[in-house]
Amino acid sequence: MIVSIAELTAKCTDLLMRAGVPQLAAHRAAETLVSADARGIHSHGVIRLARYIDCIKSGGIRPDAEIEVIADAPAYIRASAAGGLGIPASCEVVERMIAKAKNMPLVAASVNHSDHYGAAGYYAMKCADNGLIGFSMSNTCPLIAVTGAKTAGIGNNPFAYAAPAGKFRAILFDICMSVVASGKLIIAAANNQPIPEGWILDKDGNPTTDPKEIYNGAIMLPFGGHKGYGLAMMVEMLSGVLANAGTLSGVNSWNTIPGQDADTGHFFLAINPEFFGGLDNFTARMENVITELTSAPKADGVKKIYYPGELEFISEAKAEADGIDLPDASCAELDRAAANV
Amino acid sequence: MIVSIAELTAKCTDLLMRAGVPQLAAHRAAETLVSADARGIHSHGVIRLARYIDCIKSGGIRPDAEIEVIADAPAYIRASAAGGLGIPASCEVVERMIAKAKNMPLVAASVNHSDHYGAAGYYAMKCADNGLIGFSMSNTCPLIAVTGAKTAGIGNNPFAYAAPAGKFRAILFDICMSVVASGKLIIAAANNQPIPEGWILDKDGNPTTDPKEIYNGAIMLPFGGHKGYGLAMMVEMLSGVLANAGTLSGVNSWNTIPGQDADTGHFFLAINPEFFGGLDNFTARMENVITELTSAPKADGVKKIYYPGELEFISEAKAEADGIDLPDASCAELDRAAANV
């Protein structure tokens, strides 16, 4: 289905409001989810909305929660999402962080007692669009087996950063810690193609090359082995431990247990280049780096070298001009949400 | 050769002083390199010393450079290494950053016009041993082909973090951005074993499974494909662009062109947990996370699940008790250094 950004945002806002979410929070959640679809990241777009509503309906998310500020200082804000939706809480603390960072070289923001916060990169890009280097991360319920383990011990913790880049707008980088996203496994399973060893373990913790195990309790493995393990740990340290949120098994799955408080944590950081030689100097230097990197000789069969985020910006520009081409699975979830409110 | 930490540090300090490095700077460089050997990271230990002296002898590194402070504020310090050794400059700015961070939630430090700074993790651990979360990163000359490119376009930029962890001392994570370190290729070449596709490109940018290409201009590939690319870019953005150091091809190889100014950049960040709920709270929560992660059911054949840094701490404790078992290659480089001063 082709749908305009405005239309889809209005529809999602309405659905959330009908589930009891106040207007501003509903609009923030809708805008954030739709932004992911516009950027081509449909896995983190409006396909998630119906599940948010499941959580609200079953008591796992408080629809009308307001953030509680735990501490507020020039260089940081620490807040609780108070058991509410992760996105509106994150939008609010990130807006406050950005305002602080106009006058400070470094500002951090943490959120605890939260839930799924959508695409990590959304908040990092808010920083970049305001002339700041932004970092965004969140823990999740355990989904990954760390090096040497046979069970899921740590979250597939998303990590993103973005920075202003002049004529290139920004660089934007947004990853999770597993070798591959579950979407790739689902495609391989549909095609009956074996997957390389090292992508997942079966539910008993044994190596497997059968992608169908994703439907049978398979456990994700971290990308780069111990490197992905250590990066997942970094996110857990900042968004779980430092933010005083749930950690590891203390974070509940909003997907499998919608009625349970997730106690997810998020961490954000902004760096203001004005304090490090000036924003214009920074963006001019970023332009040079991007130009040099992307004009390197291309490998055989490669048409273009992309800078981080470029594919998302291309998708977004197309969505703004022509509307979002929303996948059937996303449409089906919107229908399910509509039937549920 | 078995050698005590004190003896090896004294020997390296002496060699550097004989090359014209003032005592404090020589001691700092020696201590940092020896620390890497003590932690079992011989690739970043005293094996590097002879090359530092080559650079000094050929004019690429100023032995008696002192750092120049570009800007100094409560939340940051920006300095130039003034074409000197990277380690003493980094030690000094990190000490100043740590002192600032006693009273501030977030402090950053940048260094430009620098050179090789040893093991990234050394500076992060200095933070952790002072009750702070520490980050450390540096760019390098281009060594990695980014996704889609057939030439080395970006550095194998090291990234490290560490954090205090109570009875576990700390977590320490220190990586570069290539799939494997060159040491693994050298071993595979010696054993005539093919390597998996995706580790390196040959000098012409074609995929290869022949590890001997490492001796023939092979180009490293980033770990996790675009994920490693984006992480290398993050380090380049902070330690190159933001620090106002050389970037990409503007960073010269101190290994292949010892007489040329490297213009390497470094970036450091400290977060003080006292401002986020208290250090005791943070370390108690870190202990819980480490305990839970490392007591997970083990995969077949695995004896122990390690937390990040544990292997290094075990090696260091052994080195403190029994001395460092220095590899032959490191001893040979020390002999070469001694013959050169």
Side-chain angles (χ1 to χ4, degrees):
Chain A
M1 181 178 76
I2 306 284
V3 57
S4 76
I5 290 175
E7 198 183 337
L8 188 57
T9 306
K11 183 187 174 85
C12 292
T13 304
D14 175 62
L15 286 170
L16 285 164
M17 287 178 69
R18 283 200 269 150
V21 179
Q23 182 165 16
L24 175 62
H27 182 72
R28 278 174 162 152
E31 202 170 58
T32 303
L33 293 175
V34 172
S35 162
D37 284 303
R39 289 181 183 153
I41 317 296
H42 298 297
S43 60
H44 285 67
V46 300
I47 198 169
R48 303 288 183 140
L49 190 78
R51 202 62 180 166
Y52 290 176
I53 290 173
D54 292 341
C55 292
I56 290 171
K57 290 267 170 181
S58 54
I61 290 179
R62 286 177 54 209
D64 56 351
E66 294 187 6
I67 71 161
E68 294 162 7
V69 175
I70 301 163
D72 195 5
Y76 61 88
I77 177 166
R78 296 167 49 212
S80 163
L85 286 162
I87 294 178
S90 297
C91 286
E92 185 169 344
V93 301
V94 168
E95 278 172 22
R96 292 194 189 198
M97 176 179 78
I98 289 171
K100 290 174 189 293
K102 297 286 175 192
N103 308 307
M104 292 290 285
L106 307 162
V107 182
S110 69
V111 180
N112 68 6
H113 202 180
S114 189
D115 209 289
H116 190 256
Y117 82 154
Y122 180 82
Y123 310 100
M125 268 306 290
K126 281 278 180 211
C127 295
D129 284 338
N130 281 279
L132 305 169
I133 302 170
F135 296 85
S136 162
M137 63 200 85
S138 176
N139 63 3
T140 79
C141 64
L143 292 167
I144 283 183
V146 303
T147 311
K150 67 189 299 181
T151 56
I154 197 165
N156 197 354
N157 297 344
F159 171 81
Y161 74 83
K167 68 180 177 188
F168 298 106
R169 181 179 175 190
I171 53 170
L172 166 61
F173 175 75
D174 185 351
I175 60 166
C176 62
M177 300 304 167
S178 56
V179 179
V180 289
S182 53
K184 272 208 183 178
L185 301 171
I186 289 166
I187 291 167
N191 295 337
N192 269 312
Q193 283 172 334
I195 54 172
E197 204 166 296
W199 283 17
I200 56 171
L201 303 176
D202 69 21
K203 69 176 192 309
D204 301 316
N206 301 310
T208 180
T209 58
D210 182 0
K212 293 201 181 70
E213 293 293 334
I214 191 70
Y215 299 115
N216 190 28
I219 302 156
M220 310 293 271
L221 286 169
F223 83 102
H226 72 284
K227 294 186 181 184
Y229 168 15
L231 290 167
M233 188 74 162
M234 176 184 77
V235 174
E236 195 71 30
M237 169 182 78
L238 294 172
S239 59
V241 177
L242 192 72
N244 287 287
T247 57
L248 306 181
S249 64
V251 181
N252 293 309
S253 169
W254 66 286
N255 263 311
T256 55
I257 322 171
Q260 199 169 355
D261 200 328
D263 202 11
T264 306
H266 321 306
F267 186 81
F268 308 96
L269 177 71
I271 302 177
N272 187 342
E274 283 297 351
F275 293 85
F276 294 84
L279 177 60
D280 289 345
N281 172 61
F282 179 81
T283 53
R285 289 168 60 79
M286 285 299 294
E287 286 179 355
N288 289 344
V289 164
I290 292 169
T291 300
E292 181 178 330
L293 262 188
T294 57
S295 56
K298 293 181 253 314
D300 292 348
V302 171
K303 289 214 175 63
K304 181 173 160 57
I305 298 170
Y306 293 92
Y307 60 88
E310 187 173 9
L311 288 168
E312 287 78 3
F313 302 148
I314 291 169
S315 174
E316 192 173 55
K318 189 172 183 323
E320 282 166 357
D322 307 332
I324 295 169
D325 188 3
L326 202 61
D328 292 344
S330 302
C331 297
E333 279 295 276
L334 285 180
D335 290 344
R336 192 169 75 78
N340 201 14
V341 291
Chain B
M1 180 178 77
I2 306 284
V3 57
S4 77
I5 290 175
E7 199 182 337
L8 188 57
T9 306
K11 183 188 174 83
C12 292
T13 304
D14 176 61
L15 287 170
L16 285 165
M17 286 178 70
R18 283 201 268 151
V21 180
Q23 181 164 18
L24 176 60
H27 182 71
R28 279 175 162 152
E31 202 169 60
T32 303
L33 293 175
V34 172
S35 162
D37 285 302
R39 289 180 184 155
I41 317 296
H42 298 297
S43 61
H44 285 67
V46 300
I47 197 169
R48 303 287 183 141
L49 190 78
R51 203 63 182 164
Y52 289 175
I53 290 172
D54 293 341
C55 293
I56 290 171
K57 289 267 170 182
S58 54
I61 291 178
R62 286 177 54 208
D64 57 349
E66 294 187 6
I67 71 161
E68 294 162 7
V69 175
I70 301 165
D72 195 6
Y76 61 89
I77 178 167
R78 297 167 48 211
S80 163
L85 286 162
I87 295 178
S90 297
C91 286
E92 186 169 343
V93 302
V94 168
E95 278 172 21
R96 291 194 190 198
M97 176 179 77
I98 289 170
K100 290 174 190 292
K102 296 288 176 191
N103 307 307
M104 291 291 284
L106 307 162
V107 183
S110 69
V111 180
N112 68 7
H113 202 181
S114 188
D115 209 290
H116 191 254
Y117 81 154
Y122 180 81
Y123 310 100
M125 268 307 288
K126 280 280 179 209
C127 295
D129 284 338
N130 281 280
L132 305 168
I133 301 169
F135 296 84
S136 162
M137 62 201 85
S138 176
N139 64 3
T140 78
C141 63
L143 292 166
I144 283 183
V146 302
T147 310
K150 66 189 299 180
T151 57
I154 198 166
N156 197 353
N157 297 343
F159 171 82
Y161 74 82
K167 69 181 177 188
F168 298 105
R169 183 179 173 191
I171 55 169
L172 166 61
F173 174 75
D174 186 351
I175 60 166
C176 60
M177 299 304 166
S178 57
V179 179
V180 288
S182 52
K184 272 208 183 176
L185 301 171
I186 289 166
I187 291 167
N191 294 337
N192 269 313
Q193 283 172 333
I195 54 172
E197 203 167 297
W199 283 16
I200 56 171
L201 302 176
D202 69 20
K203 69 176 192 311
D204 300 317
N206 301 310
T208 179
T209 58
D210 181 0
K212 293 200 181 71
E213 293 293 335
I214 190 70
Y215 298 115
N216 191 29
I219 302 155
M220 311 292 271
L221 287 169
F223 83 103
H226 72 284
K227 295 186 181 184
Y229 168 16
L231 291 167
M233 188 74 162
M234 177 184 77
V235 174
E236 195 71 31
M237 169 182 78
L238 295 172
S239 59
V241 177
L242 192 72
N244 287 288
T247 56
L248 306 182
S249 64
V251 180
N252 293 308
S253 170
W254 65 287
N255 264 310
T256 54
I257 322 171
Q260 199 169 357
D261 200 328
D263 202 11
T264 307
H266 321 307
F267 186 81
F268 307 97
L269 177 71
I271 303 176
N272 187 341
E274 283 296 352
F275 293 84
F276 294 84
L279 178 60
D280 289 347
N281 172 60
F282 178 81
T283 54
R285 289 168 59 81
M286 285 299 294
E287 286 179 355
N288 289 344
V289 164
I290 293 170
T291 300
E292 180 178 329
L293 262 188
T294 57
S295 56
K298 292 181 254 316
D300 291 349
V302 171
K303 289 213 173 63
K304 180 172 161 57
I305 298 170
Y306 293 92
Y307 60 89
E310 187 173 9
L311 288 168
E312 286 79 2
F313 302 147
I314 291 169
S315 173
E316 190 172 57
K318 191 172 182 320
E320 282 165 357
D322 306 332
I324 294 168
D325 188 1
L326 202 61
D328 292 344
S330 302
C331 297
E333 278 295 276
L334 285 181
D335 290 344
R336 191 169 76 78
N340 201 15
V341 291

